[in-house]
Amino acid sequence: MQYRHYKGGIYELVCEALMEADHTPVMVYRGQDGAVWVRPRDAFFETVHVDGVAVPRFALAPAE
């Protein structure tokens, strides 16, 4: 699945995993440049405020 970051980048969701230290659920995702990132699941799916408007940090991108 691909997600669009609120700043415009497109990221491929690689998998959901658990942080070894405390079992926090994390999302593993890859940018178009090949960089791999990890973010806590709650933060990945949280709402952020942009110019006073609440938007998802990552929104599911339409299938191409």
Side-chain angles (χ1 to χ4, degrees):
M1 285 191 223
Q2 290 192 331
Y3 285 83
R4 179 178 300 278
H5 189 266
Y6 76 97
K7 292 181 180 178
I10 297 290
Y11 296 86
E12 173 192 2
L13 182 59
V14 175
C15 67
E16 186 169 346
L18 294 175
M19 185 68 70
E20 180 273 332
D22 61 5
H23 292 192
T24 299
V26 296
M27 307 306 286
V28 181
Y29 56 103
R30 180 181 296 116
Q32 291 177 313
D33 62 358
V36 177
W37 301 88
V38 176
R39 185 183 298 262
R41 187 180 197 284
D42 289 346
F44 189 90
F45 289 111
E46 76 182 343
T47 299
V48 296
H49 291 85
V50 179
D51 297 326
V53 178
V55 297
R57 180 181 301 277
F58 287 91
L60 190 58
E64 296 180 354

